[in-house]
Amino acid sequence: MDESTQKWLEVINSGRAYSNIQPDDVLKHFKKSAKQHFSKILRRYIFKEDIVLDAGCGPAYNSIYLSYEGINVTALDISEKLIRELLQVKNVLDNHAMSNLELVVGSIFELNKLDKKFNVVFNNGVYEHWLSREDRDRILQNISAVLTEHGKYIVAVPNLKNPLFQAALSDNEVPDMWEFTLSDLENELLENGFNTIETGYMFVAPGFEQWLQSPWMAYPIHLIDNLYPSLPFVFRKLLAAHIYCVAEKQ
């Protein structure tokens, strides 16, 4: 197992991330995620007939949201602990929507083991955890291999160029992350056989509270989050906590 994956597993298994996932919390956050910018991006490019992979699902809020929208989603994560807890949540929430969701323990470096092709692969807050360009190239090659012809990869990463993001982030909780600009992210995708369709800036994602240095920081961040979509572009770019790319397999 590579070093970056090992460090991330240590964070999850120690309970410092996604600890004690409960059905009520998952419902609350996935309903919030439906209103978030990243979910709206997903819905622009994902259709009812698509087969979708969440490659590094974490708490799987976006995957659960999409399954409730009637979309067939496979949510994959390297953490057995996390997938086990999500399976328990799925059983509690069990209904017709949950039949669209498959939860799988697996590596982003071994997507071929799923033995399935996908119209769209996505992840949010995953790709940046690999500091080695060689590892990131391998990830993109694995994603490309399981995508259908002209399939799409939708990726969002933290905007570590934002000093406010850096100031709020707890250094003790999160392993080191690669610092991307939009052009860096686009270039890596292009060099691995993807053409960019859309790029942009976003604010926070559901569940961000666990990564803050102090709980009080959540209140002003929630306020900004509510105002963010209506702000002029220059302020959205300045305040962006994440950047994203939508890319199509060449």
Side-chain angles (χ1 to χ4, degrees):
M1 185 181 297
D2 66 279
E3 184 179 355
S4 297
T5 301
Q6 185 61 49
K7 285 182 178 179
W8 188 238
L9 273 176
E10 288 172 4
V11 170
I12 295 174
N13 293 336
S14 69
R16 301 201 309 273
Y18 315 128
S19 61
N20 194 27
I21 294 175
Q22 298 296 321
D24 287 346
D25 291 333
V26 171
L27 274 173
K28 178 180 70 175
H29 285 305
F30 111 74
K31 288 177 179 176
K32 282 184 180 179
S33 76
K35 302 175 183 177
Q36 296 283 332
H37 194 170
F38 190 69
S39 293
K40 293 176 181 178
I41 295 165
L42 294 178
R43 291 304 281 123
R44 282 205 295 274
Y45 294 97
I46 295 174
F47 305 97
K48 283 282 181 77
E49 65 274 15
D50 285 338
I51 308 297
V52 177
L53 173 63
D54 184 351
C57 67
Y61 300 140
N62 288 117
S63 290
I64 294 171
Y65 162 64
L66 290 171
S67 72
Y68 269 80
E69 292 287 294
I71 294 160
N72 187 318
V73 186
T74 298
L76 173 143
D77 202 276
I78 192 64
S79 169
E80 293 182 24
K81 173 182 180 290
L82 191 54
I83 295 298
R84 185 170 60 249
E85 291 179 358
L86 286 168
L87 283 168
Q88 292 172 353
V89 169
K90 180 183 176 183
N91 290 337
V92 172
L93 301 179
D94 199 15
N95 54 33
H96 178 68
M98 288 292 92
S99 68
N100 297 318
L101 177 64
E102 181 181 9
L103 294 158
V104 179
V105 178
S107 169
I108 199 168
F109 294 105
E110 298 177 333
L111 298 180
N112 61 308
K113 290 186 176 181
L114 295 172
D115 196 25
K116 190 186 294 188
K117 289 287 188 178
F118 300 91
N119 304 101
V120 179
V121 176
F122 74 88
N123 47 40
N124 186 349
V126 174
Y127 186 66
E128 72 282 356
H129 288 294
W130 283 271
L131 305 183
S132 161
R133 173 64 192 267
E134 181 180 355
D135 283 341
R136 296 198 303 276
D137 286 345
R138 285 174 57 212
I139 288 170
L140 293 178
Q141 290 156 16
N142 268 266
I143 289 171
S144 179
V146 297
L147 279 172
T148 57
E149 186 178 5
H150 303 301
K152 295 175 180 63
Y153 177 40
I154 304 174
V155 53
V157 299
N159 180 20
L160 298 178
K161 300 289 186 181
N162 182 344
L164 296 176
F165 184 97
Q166 293 276 27
L169 192 66
S170 172
D171 293 334
N172 296 326
E173 301 298 332
V174 186
D176 290 339
M177 296 179 283
W178 189 255
E179 190 172 291
F180 281 102
T181 64
L182 262 180
S183 60
D184 292 336
L185 188 55
E186 282 188 88
N187 286 337
E188 286 196 12
L189 290 165
L190 179 62
E191 290 167 11
N192 281 279
F194 290 90
N195 291 324
T196 302
I197 299 171
E198 178 184 336
T199 64
Y201 301 91
M202 309 187 310
F203 202 53
V204 293
F208 72 87
E209 295 91 343
Q210 69 181 313
W211 306 116
L212 297 177
Q213 286 196 28
S214 178
W216 70 263
M217 293 179 174
Y219 296 102
I221 290 174
H222 278 297
L223 177 61
I224 297 170
D225 189 36
N226 290 330
L227 296 173
Y228 189 80
S230 61
L231 294 175
F233 174 77
V234 64
F235 290 110
R236 295 202 307 273
K237 182 177 179 180
L238 179 67
L239 293 171
H242 294 80
I243 57 178
Y244 72 89
C245 282
V246 180
E248 183 176 79
K249 178 180 175 180
Q250 294 176 2

Short mmCIF file of all heavy atoms in Angstrom, two decimals, residues 76-120:
data_model
loop_
_atom_site.label_atom_id
_atom_site.label_comp_id
_atom_site.label_asym_id
_atom_site.label_seq_id
_atom_site.Cartn_x
_atom_site.Cartn_y
_atom_site.Cartn_z
N LEU A 76 -16.97 3.64 -3.78
CA LEU A 76 -15.79 2.87 -3.42
C LEU A 76 -14.90 3.64 -2.47
O LEU A 76 -14.69 4.85 -2.65
CB LEU A 76 -15.02 2.51 -4.69
CG LEU A 76 -13.66 1.84 -4.54
CD1 LEU A 76 -13.45 0.80 -5.64
CD2 LEU A 76 -12.51 2.87 -4.60
N ASP A 77 -14.39 2.96 -1.44
CA ASP A 77 -13.41 3.57 -0.55
C ASP A 77 -12.45 2.49 -0.06
O ASP A 77 -12.83 1.32 0.04
CB ASP A 77 -14.07 4.25 0.64
CG ASP A 77 -13.17 5.31 1.26
OD1 ASP A 77 -12.31 4.95 2.09
OD2 ASP A 77 -13.32 6.50 0.90
N ILE A 78 -11.21 2.90 0.24
CA ILE A 78 -10.19 1.96 0.69
C ILE A 78 -10.43 1.51 2.13
O ILE A 78 -9.91 0.47 2.56
CB ILE A 78 -8.79 2.60 0.55
CG1 ILE A 78 -7.67 1.55 0.72
CG2 ILE A 78 -8.61 3.74 1.53
CD1 ILE A 78 -7.65 0.48 -0.32
N SER A 79 -11.22 2.27 2.89
CA SER A 79 -11.42 1.98 4.31
C SER A 79 -12.53 0.96 4.53
O SER A 79 -13.71 1.24 4.29
CB SER A 79 -11.75 3.27 5.07
OG SER A 79 -12.18 2.98 6.38
N GLU A 80 -12.17 -0.21 5.03
CA GLU A 80 -13.17 -1.22 5.37
C GLU A 80 -14.09 -0.70 6.47
O GLU A 80 -15.29 -0.95 6.46
CB GLU A 80 -12.49 -2.51 5.81
CG GLU A 80 -11.73 -3.22 4.70
CD GLU A 80 -11.12 -4.53 5.16
OE1 GLU A 80 -11.64 -5.10 6.16
OE2 GLU A 80 -10.15 -4.98 4.55
N LYS A 81 -13.52 0.03 7.44
CA LYS A 81 -14.29 0.59 8.55
C LYS A 81 -15.38 1.51 8.03
O LYS A 81 -16.55 1.43 8.45
CB LYS A 81 -13.37 1.34 9.51
CG LYS A 81 -14.06 2.11 10.61
CD LYS A 81 -13.04 2.85 11.47
CE LYS A 81 -13.69 3.63 12.60
NZ LYS A 81 -14.46 4.79 12.10
N LEU A 82 -15.02 2.37 7.12
CA LEU A 82 -15.96 3.35 6.58
C LEU A 82 -17.07 2.66 5.79
O LEU A 82 -18.25 2.96 5.97
CB LEU A 82 -15.21 4.34 5.70
CG LEU A 82 -15.93 5.59 5.23
CD1 LEU A 82 -16.52 6.35 6.40
CD2 LEU A 82 -14.98 6.48 4.45
N ILE A 83 -16.72 1.73 4.93
CA ILE A 83 -17.73 1.03 4.13
C ILE A 83 -18.63 0.18 5.03
O ILE A 83 -19.85 0.12 4.81
CB ILE A 83 -17.06 0.16 3.05
CG1 ILE A 83 -16.32 1.04 2.03
CG2 ILE A 83 -18.09 -0.72 2.35
CD1 ILE A 83 -17.21 2.00 1.26
N ARG A 84 -18.07 -0.43 6.05
CA ARG A 84 -18.89 -1.21 6.99
C ARG A 84 -19.94 -0.33 7.68
O ARG A 84 -21.11 -0.70 7.79
CB ARG A 84 -17.98 -1.87 8.03
CG ARG A 84 -18.71 -2.80 8.99
CD ARG A 84 -17.73 -3.61 9.82
NE ARG A 84 -16.84 -2.77 10.62
CZ ARG A 84 -15.54 -2.64 10.42
NH1 ARG A 84 -14.95 -3.27 9.41
NH2 ARG A 84 -14.81 -1.86 11.21
N GLU A 85 -19.53 0.87 8.12
CA GLU A 85 -20.47 1.78 8.77
C GLU A 85 -21.52 2.28 7.78
O GLU A 85 -22.70 2.44 8.13
CB GLU A 85 -19.71 2.95 9.41
CG GLU A 85 -18.86 2.53 10.59
CD GLU A 85 -18.10 3.69 11.20
OE1 GLU A 85 -18.19 4.82 10.68
OE2 GLU A 85 -17.39 3.46 12.21
N LEU A 86 -21.11 2.54 6.55
CA LEU A 86 -22.07 2.99 5.53
C LEU A 86 -23.06 1.90 5.17
O LEU A 86 -24.23 2.17 4.90
CB LEU A 86 -21.32 3.46 4.29
CG LEU A 86 -20.62 4.82 4.41
CD1 LEU A 86 -19.69 5.06 3.23
CD2 LEU A 86 -21.64 5.96 4.51
N LEU A 87 -22.62 0.65 5.17
CA LEU A 87 -23.55 -0.46 4.92
C LEU A 87 -24.61 -0.56 6.01
O LEU A 87 -25.78 -0.84 5.74
CB LEU A 87 -22.77 -1.78 4.82
CG LEU A 87 -22.02 -2.02 3.51
CD1 LEU A 87 -21.06 -3.19 3.64
CD2 LEU A 87 -23.01 -2.26 2.36
N GLN A 88 -24.22 -0.28 7.24
CA GLN A 88 -25.19 -0.27 8.34
C GLN A 88 -26.19 0.87 8.15
O GLN A 88 -27.39 0.70 8.39
CB GLN A 88 -24.46 -0.13 9.68
CG GLN A 88 -23.62 -1.35 10.04
CD GLN A 88 -22.75 -1.14 11.26
OE1 GLN A 88 -22.65 -0.03 11.79
NE2 GLN A 88 -22.11 -2.20 11.72
N VAL A 89 -25.69 2.02 7.73
CA VAL A 89 -26.57 3.15 7.45
C VAL A 89 -27.52 2.81 6.32
O VAL A 89 -28.73 3.07 6.39
CB VAL A 89 -25.75 4.42 7.10
CG1 VAL A 89 -26.65 5.51 6.55
CG2 VAL A 89 -25.00 4.91 8.32
N LYS A 90 -26.99 2.20 5.28
CA LYS A 90 -27.81 1.82 4.12
C LYS A 90 -28.94 0.87 4.53
O LYS A 90 -30.08 0.99 4.07
CB LYS A 90 -26.94 1.17 3.04
CG LYS A 90 -27.73 0.74 1.81
CD LYS A 90 -26.85 0.03 0.79
CE LYS A 90 -27.69 -0.47 -0.38
NZ LYS A 90 -26.90 -1.22 -1.37
N ASN A 91 -28.64 -0.06 5.41
CA ASN A 91 -29.67 -0.99 5.88
C ASN A 91 -30.78 -0.29 6.63
O ASN A 91 -31.96 -0.63 6.50
CB ASN A 91 -29.03 -2.07 6.77
CG ASN A 91 -28.16 -3.02 5.99
OD1 ASN A 91 -28.34 -3.18 4.78
ND2 ASN A 91 -27.21 -3.65 6.65
N VAL A 92 -30.41 0.73 7.41
CA VAL A 92 -31.42 1.49 8.16
C VAL A 92 -32.27 2.32 7.20
O VAL A 92 -33.48 2.44 7.36
CB VAL A 92 -30.75 2.40 9.20
CG1 VAL A 92 -31.77 3.34 9.84
CG2 VAL A 92 -30.06 1.57 10.27
N LEU A 93 -31.62 2.89 6.18
CA LEU A 93 -32.32 3.75 5.22
C LEU A 93 -32.96 2.95 4.09
O LEU A 93 -33.52 3.52 3.17
CB LEU A 93 -31.35 4.75 4.60
CG LEU A 93 -30.62 5.70 5.54
CD1 LEU A 93 -29.68 6.59 4.75
CD2 LEU A 93 -31.59 6.55 6.34
N ASP A 94 -32.87 1.62 4.19
CA ASP A 94 -33.20 0.76 3.07
C ASP A 94 -34.56 1.08 2.47
O ASP A 94 -35.58 1.05 3.14
CB ASP A 94 -33.16 -0.71 3.50
CG ASP A 94 -33.04 -1.65 2.31
OD1 ASP A 94 -32.70 -1.18 1.20
OD2 ASP A 94 -33.30 -2.84 2.49
N ASN A 95 -34.56 1.40 1.22
CA ASN A 95 -35.79 1.65 0.45
C ASN A 95 -35.43 1.49 -1.02
O ASN A 95 -34.32 1.06 -1.36
CB ASN A 95 -36.37 3.04 0.75
CG ASN A 95 -35.35 4.15 0.53
OD1 ASN A 95 -34.50 4.05 -0.35
ND2 ASN A 95 -35.44 5.20 1.31
N HIS A 96 -36.33 1.85 -1.88
CA HIS A 96 -36.08 1.67 -3.31
C HIS A 96 -34.85 2.47 -3.77
O HIS A 96 -34.06 2.00 -4.59
CB HIS A 96 -37.31 2.09 -4.12
CG HIS A 96 -37.11 1.97 -5.60
ND1 HIS A 96 -36.96 0.74 -6.24
CD2 HIS A 96 -36.99 2.91 -6.58
CE1 HIS A 96 -36.78 0.94 -7.53
NE2 HIS A 96 -36.79 2.24 -7.77
N ALA A 97 -34.67 3.68 -3.21
CA ALA A 97 -33.54 4.51 -3.61
C ALA A 97 -32.21 3.84 -3.28
O ALA A 97 -31.26 3.87 -4.07
CB ALA A 97 -33.62 5.88 -2.93
N MET A 98 -32.14 3.21 -2.11
CA MET A 98 -30.89 2.60 -1.69
C MET A 98 -30.51 1.40 -2.56
O MET A 98 -29.36 0.98 -2.59
CB MET A 98 -30.98 2.16 -0.23
CG MET A 98 -30.98 3.30 0.78
SD MET A 98 -29.38 4.19 0.84
CE MET A 98 -29.65 5.50 -0.35
N SER A 99 -31.47 0.85 -3.28
CA SER A 99 -31.15 -0.27 -4.18
C SER A 99 -30.28 0.20 -5.35
O SER A 99 -29.67 -0.63 -6.03
CB SER A 99 -32.44 -0.92 -4.71
OG SER A 99 -33.13 -0.03 -5.57
N ASN A 100 -30.21 1.50 -5.58
CA ASN A 100 -29.37 2.06 -6.64
C ASN A 100 -27.91 2.21 -6.21
O ASN A 100 -27.06 2.55 -7.03
CB ASN A 100 -29.88 3.43 -7.06
CG ASN A 100 -31.27 3.38 -7.65
OD1 ASN A 100 -31.58 2.49 -8.41
ND2 ASN A 100 -32.12 4.33 -7.27
N LEU A 101 -27.63 2.00 -4.90
CA LEU A 101 -26.30 2.28 -4.35
C LEU A 101 -25.57 0.99 -3.99
O LEU A 101 -26.08 0.18 -3.22
CB LEU A 101 -26.43 3.16 -3.11
CG LEU A 101 -25.13 3.49 -2.35
CD1 LEU A 101 -24.20 4.32 -3.23
CD2 LEU A 101 -25.45 4.23 -1.05
N GLU A 102 -24.36 0.83 -4.54
CA GLU A 102 -23.50 -0.29 -4.17
C GLU A 102 -22.27 0.27 -3.45
O GLU A 102 -21.59 1.16 -3.97
CB GLU A 102 -23.06 -1.07 -5.41
CG GLU A 102 -22.17 -2.26 -5.09
CD GLU A 102 -21.70 -3.01 -6.33
OE1 GLU A 102 -21.93 -2.51 -7.45
OE2 GLU A 102 -21.09 -4.08 -6.16
N LEU A 103 -21.99 -0.25 -2.26
CA LEU A 103 -20.85 0.19 -1.46
C LEU A 103 -19.77 -0.87 -1.52
O LEU A 103 -20.02 -2.05 -1.24
CB LEU A 103 -21.29 0.43 -0.01
CG LEU A 103 -22.28 1.58 0.19
CD1 LEU A 103 -23.05 1.42 1.48
CD2 LEU A 103 -21.54 2.92 0.18
N VAL A 104 -18.54 -0.45 -1.87
CA VAL A 104 -17.47 -1.40 -2.16
C VAL A 104 -16.17 -0.95 -1.49
O VAL A 104 -15.80 0.22 -1.57
CB VAL A 104 -17.23 -1.52 -3.69
CG1 VAL A 104 -16.10 -2.49 -3.99
CG2 VAL A 104 -18.50 -1.94 -4.40
N VAL A 105 -15.48 -1.90 -0.85
CA VAL A 105 -14.12 -1.65 -0.38
C VAL A 105 -13.17 -1.90 -1.55
O VAL A 105 -13.21 -2.96 -2.18
CB VAL A 105 -13.73 -2.59 0.79
CG1 VAL A 105 -12.28 -2.35 1.21
CG2 VAL A 105 -14.67 -2.39 1.98
N GLY A 106 -12.35 -0.91 -1.86
CA GLY A 106 -11.44 -1.08 -2.99
C GLY A 106 -10.47 0.07 -3.11
O GLY A 106 -10.64 1.12 -2.48
N SER A 107 -9.47 -0.12 -3.94
CA SER A 107 -8.41 0.86 -4.15
C SER A 107 -8.63 1.63 -5.44
O SER A 107 -9.02 1.05 -6.46
CB SER A 107 -7.05 0.15 -4.21
OG SER A 107 -6.04 1.03 -4.66
N ILE A 108 -8.34 2.90 -5.39
CA ILE A 108 -8.45 3.74 -6.59
C ILE A 108 -7.39 3.34 -7.62
O ILE A 108 -7.48 3.71 -8.78
CB ILE A 108 -8.32 5.23 -6.18
CG1 ILE A 108 -8.88 6.14 -7.28
CG2 ILE A 108 -6.87 5.58 -5.86
CD1 ILE A 108 -9.05 7.58 -6.84
N PHE A 109 -6.39 2.55 -7.19
CA PHE A 109 -5.36 2.05 -8.10
C PHE A 109 -5.75 0.71 -8.73
O PHE A 109 -4.99 0.18 -9.55
CB PHE A 109 -4.03 1.88 -7.36
CG PHE A 109 -3.43 3.18 -6.89
CD1 PHE A 109 -3.48 3.54 -5.56
CD2 PHE A 109 -2.81 4.04 -7.79
CE1 PHE A 109 -2.92 4.73 -5.12
CE2 PHE A 109 -2.24 5.23 -7.36
CZ PHE A 109 -2.31 5.58 -6.03
N GLU A 110 -6.89 0.16 -8.33
CA GLU A 110 -7.30 -1.16 -8.82
C GLU A 110 -8.77 -1.15 -9.23
O GLU A 110 -9.53 -2.05 -8.91
CB GLU A 110 -7.05 -2.23 -7.76
CG GLU A 110 -5.58 -2.38 -7.37
CD GLU A 110 -5.37 -3.38 -6.26
OE1 GLU A 110 -6.29 -3.60 -5.45
OE2 GLU A 110 -4.27 -3.96 -6.21
N LEU A 111 -9.17 -0.13 -9.96
CA LEU A 111 -10.57 0.01 -10.35
C LEU A 111 -11.01 -1.08 -11.32
O LEU A 111 -12.21 -1.38 -11.43
CB LEU A 111 -10.81 1.39 -10.96
CG LEU A 111 -10.55 2.59 -10.03
CD1 LEU A 111 -10.82 3.90 -10.76
CD2 LEU A 111 -11.38 2.50 -8.76
N ASN A 112 -10.05 -1.68 -12.01
CA ASN A 112 -10.39 -2.77 -12.93
C ASN A 112 -11.03 -3.95 -12.21
O ASN A 112 -11.77 -4.74 -12.82
CB ASN A 112 -9.15 -3.22 -13.68
CG ASN A 112 -8.07 -3.77 -12.75
OD1 ASN A 112 -7.69 -3.13 -11.78
ND2 ASN A 112 -7.57 -4.96 -13.06
N LYS A 113 -10.77 -4.08 -10.92
CA LYS A 113 -11.34 -5.18 -10.15
C LYS A 113 -12.87 -5.07 -10.02
O LYS A 113 -13.53 -6.05 -9.66
CB LYS A 113 -10.71 -5.25 -8.76
CG LYS A 113 -9.26 -5.73 -8.78
CD LYS A 113 -8.72 -5.92 -7.38
CE LYS A 113 -7.30 -6.49 -7.42
NZ LYS A 113 -6.75 -6.71 -6.05
N LEU A 114 -13.41 -3.88 -10.29
CA LEU A 114 -14.86 -3.71 -10.25
C LEU A 114 -15.52 -4.41 -11.43
O LEU A 114 -16.73 -4.68 -11.39
CB LEU A 114 -15.22 -2.22 -10.26
CG LEU A 114 -14.76 -1.41 -9.04
CD1 LEU A 114 -15.00 0.07 -9.27
CD2 LEU A 114 -15.48 -1.88 -7.78
N ASP A 115 -14.73 -4.68 -12.47
CA ASP A 115 -15.23 -5.39 -13.65
C ASP A 115 -16.49 -4.72 -14.21
O ASP A 115 -17.50 -5.36 -14.48
CB ASP A 115 -15.51 -6.85 -13.31
CG ASP A 115 -15.64 -7.72 -14.57
OD1 ASP A 115 -15.07 -7.34 -15.60
OD2 ASP A 115 -16.34 -8.75 -14.51
N LYS A 116 -16.41 -3.40 -14.35
CA LYS A 116 -17.57 -2.63 -14.79
C LYS A 116 -17.09 -1.37 -15.49
O LYS A 116 -16.01 -0.84 -15.17
CB LYS A 116 -18.43 -2.26 -13.57
CG LYS A 116 -19.78 -1.67 -13.89
CD LYS A 116 -20.49 -1.20 -12.61
CE LYS A 116 -20.86 -2.34 -11.70
NZ LYS A 116 -21.70 -1.88 -10.56
N LYS A 117 -17.85 -0.88 -16.44
CA LYS A 117 -17.57 0.40 -17.10
C LYS A 117 -18.55 1.45 -16.58
O LYS A 117 -19.70 1.15 -16.27
CB LYS A 117 -17.71 0.27 -18.62
CG LYS A 117 -16.61 -0.55 -19.28
CD LYS A 117 -15.29 0.22 -19.32
CE LYS A 117 -14.25 -0.52 -20.15
NZ LYS A 117 -12.98 0.23 -20.25
N PHE A 118 -18.06 2.70 -16.53
CA PHE A 118 -18.85 3.79 -15.97
C PHE A 118 -18.93 4.95 -16.97
O PHE A 118 -17.96 5.26 -17.66
CB PHE A 118 -18.23 4.29 -14.67
CG PHE A 118 -18.13 3.22 -13.61
CD1 PHE A 118 -16.99 2.44 -13.50
CD2 PHE A 118 -19.19 2.98 -12.75
CE1 PHE A 118 -16.89 1.45 -12.54
CE2 PHE A 118 -19.11 2.00 -11.78
CZ PHE A 118 -17.96 1.23 -11.67
N ASN A 119 -20.08 5.61 -16.99
CA ASN A 119 -20.24 6.82 -17.81
C ASN A 119 -19.59 8.02 -17.15
O ASN A 119 -19.09 8.92 -17.85
CB ASN A 119 -21.72 7.12 -18.03
CG ASN A 119 -22.46 5.96 -18.64
OD1 ASN A 119 -23.15 5.22 -17.93
ND2 ASN A 119 -22.32 5.76 -19.94
N VAL A 120 -19.59 8.03 -15.82
CA VAL A 120 -19.00 9.14 -15.06
C VAL A 120 -18.29 8.58 -13.83
O VAL A 120 -18.82 7.71 -13.13
CB VAL A 120 -20.08 10.15 -14.60
CG1 VAL A 120 -19.44 11.28 -13.78
CG2 VAL A 120 -20.83 10.73 -15.79
#
